Every structure is written in structure tokens, then in C-alpha cells.
Amino acid sequence: MNIKLLQHPLSDHLLTILRDETTTTAAFRAAAGRVTTLLAIEATRDMPTTPQNIRTPLEEMQGATLAQQIVLVPVLRAGLGMLTPFVELFPDVAVGYIGLARDEETAVAVTYYRKLPPLAGRRTILVDPMLATGGSAVQALDALKAAGADDIQLVCIVAAPEGVAQIHQNHPDVPLLAAALDRELDDRRYICPGLGDFGDRLYGT
Ligand code: PRP
Ligand code: URA
């Protein structure tokens, strides 16, 4: 499978908080933010850098500065819970938005909003906490490519094998990073064991 998983005890700890049905909205938000910080660090591990000569208080040395601009694209609304940790780590990040909602009966996602900055030549990171059927992510990736994105990564918190297969089939060039790969979808296309409806739990709705 074309998926890279965070393998870290802190990630497992935070996922357990997210999955536990007794977790409060406040604790859910905090854990979602903290696991996204881990994902953001891992997702940017291969970012290019430019050498920079500096002088420390002791001597001259060659440092490094980030050489590529990042565009973060959260999928509304649940993806908004992953925005702040990226902005805190990368304050210069540009932000685009794609609004998608799954029909409760069919689980087919419908686009209701799209606002994207220039994407060509930049690292575009699409963030959506749940990759279930993959329908939302495939539509979002289609939109990013149509808007000129040529270096895209997909970052999720929980993925289902069905969604991973959809990404592999439709966007084999897009690397996928997640905190967990779960067992399967149920007949309502919820991820099992999963954590329920991420957006509802994040926003207390
Ligand atoms: C959730 C989630 C993804 C989508 C995943 O959003 O944030 O966008 O479902 O499902 P899929 O892989 O089957 O398309 P939802 O449609 O519930 O909207 P919300 O973020 O507004 O809660
Ligand atoms: N969206 C969610 O929020 N949770 C799921 O399990 C599937 C889609």
C-alpha cells in the first residue's frame, strides 16, 4: 500500500484519546492538534533547503533555510482542525480551502467551496483527518491538479484501506501520510474502529 504511517508512541497515545468515545470536545481538539504537529514534521522531512552562511557567536558555519513555499489546503470542515499546527511550524505557509461534504445516505462528497492560491512550483499539502471511501480526497486532488499543483502530499489522521486504494488508483503520484491505517469501512462508510465523525467531535456538533 502506498501509505506511510507515523510510528511513534506519542502518536499512538494521541490516537487513543481521539478514538475514545468519552473524550471531551476540548481534549479531542487538543489531541488532534498535537498529532497534526507530528504529522507536519514527518510530512516535511524531505523539503529542500538552501545553504546559508552565517556566523554563530563562536565561528562561521553553513546553515540551511527552507527553499520551497508550502501551500496548506485543509478540506472543510474537519481539515480546519489541522491548520493551526502547520501554521505554527511554518508561519509563512499560504492557505487554500476546499469545502466538501459527504451525503449522509450515499457517502458521495459534494464540493461547496473552493479558494486556492497559486500552486505551481510550491509544495501543496492537502490535509483531511479522515480518508474513508477516498471520494473526498480524490475530488480534492483533482481540483488541486486542475489548479496547477505539481508537488502534492496528502496528510490524514486515520485512513481506511478502501480510501488508500482509491488514492493509489486515481493519484498514484501523491504520497500519503497518516497516523493510523484502520481495518475497514462499515456499511455507512464509517472507518472501523475509527473515531466516529471527526467534524462533529471537533466542533461539538
Ligand atoms: C469527512 C472527512 C472527509 C470525508 C472522508 O468529512 O473530513 O472529508 O468525510 O470521507 P470519504 O473518504 O468517504 O470521502 P464530512 O463529509 O463528514 O464533512 P465535515 O468535514 O464537514 O464533517
Ligand atoms: N468521515 C468521518 O468523520 N469519519 C469516518 O469514519 C468517515 C468519514
Side-chain angles (χ1 to χ4, degrees):
M1 285 230 179
N2 59 331
I3 181 169
K4 181 174 179 184
L5 295 174
L6 268 189
Q7 284 174 324
H8 194 289
L10 179 56
S11 165
D12 296 340
H13 172 85
L14 295 167
L15 277 165
T16 301
I17 295 171
L18 291 173
R19 292 181 188 283
D20 186 340
E21 66 175 0
T22 67
T23 296
T24 62
T25 302
F28 189 92
R29 278 185 193 140
R34 290 169 67 201
V35 79
T36 302
T37 298
L38 299 180
L39 287 164
I41 289 168
E42 188 57 38
T44 50
R45 184 180 286 283
D46 66 338
M47 289 285 289
T49 56
T50 306
Q52 186 179 334
N53 295 324
I54 56 166
R55 195 178 163 79
T56 76
L58 299 179
E59 61 183 36
E60 296 201 342
M61 66 160 284
Q62 191 173 76
T65 56
L66 291 172
Q68 192 183 21
Q69 201 187 353
I70 297 174
V71 180
L72 190 75
V73 182
V75 175
L76 308 177
R77 93 198 134 137
L80 276 183
M82 300 175 75
L83 174 61
T84 303
F86 270 92
V87 173
E88 280 171 357
L89 290 174
F90 301 97
D92 291 330
V93 75
V95 183
Y97 296 91
I98 294 179
L100 281 166
R102 290 202 321 175
D103 180 286
E104 300 228 334
E105 296 296 316
T106 63
V108 174
V110 177
T111 303
Y112 61 85
Y113 186 73
R114 194 176 296 168
K115 184 89 179 169
L116 297 170
L119 300 174
R122 294 160 145 192
R123 168 70 60 94
T124 303
I125 305 180
L126 179 69
V127 291
D128 191 339
M130 306 302 276
L131 180 69
T133 65
S136 303
V138 167
Q139 274 194 50
L141 291 169
D142 289 343
L144 294 178
K145 287 184 179 174
D150 47 17
D151 178 6
I152 316 178
Q153 254 177 305
L154 173 59
V155 176
C156 306
I157 295 179
V158 181
E162 293 88 337
V164 178
Q166 279 301 312
I167 299 303
H168 188 55
Q169 195 177 318
N170 292 281
H171 294 285
D173 56 312
V174 175
L176 167 58
L177 172 69
L181 176 63
D182 276 10
R183 194 181 65 245
E184 61 186 354
L185 299 181
D186 69 7
D187 51 10
R188 293 166 55 225
R189 266 83 99 204
Y190 272 79
I191 301 175
C192 295
L195 49 75
D197 187 306
F198 194 98
D200 283 350
R201 297 194 66 193
L202 184 72
Y203 296 113
T205 49

